[in-house]
Amino acid sequence: CVETKTLLKQRGVDIQEKPVSSADDIGEMMEHIGMAVRTMPQVFINCGDKETYIGSLTEVKTFFSTQWQNPNQ
């Protein structure tokens, strides 16, 4: 989603895309996060060695309005 990428870039987040092109890819992703998802993209933030699952665009907006402190700034 262009809006998600734009928001992440505005916040100084480096983006690494992992295309989901098959049902197997979607299944692996849902297994990794532990729940079913309905929309793409799904966003994970890496800070140091910790990966945090954020969610889709709605959750990304909430995350950045309430919790985000860019460790690179």
Side-chain angles (χ1 to χ4, degrees):
C1 173
V2 173
E3 189 175 357
T4 302
K5 288 182 195 178
T6 300
L7 178 61
L8 293 170
K9 288 178 183 179
Q10 288 173 340
R11 298 292 195 257
V13 176
D14 293 326
I15 298 172
Q16 178 184 12
E17 294 184 56
K18 295 184 179 180
V20 177
S21 58
S22 71
D24 289 341
D25 292 339
I26 294 170
E28 287 177 24
M29 182 192 56
M30 288 191 294
E31 185 175 315
H32 178 69
I33 62 175
M35 59 187 260
V37 295
R38 295 183 184 177
T39 61
M40 296 293 170
Q42 293 295 307
V43 175
F44 298 82
I45 301 281
N46 291 317
C47 292
D49 62 349
K50 182 182 177 192
E51 178 182 77
T52 302
Y53 171 66
I54 306 301
S56 62
L57 178 60
T58 301
E59 291 83 17
V60 169
K61 287 179 177 180
T62 300
F63 178 81
F64 282 113
S65 69
T66 61
Q67 301 177 42
W68 175 248
Q69 293 181 4
N70 188 341
N72 299 318
Q73 294 182 348

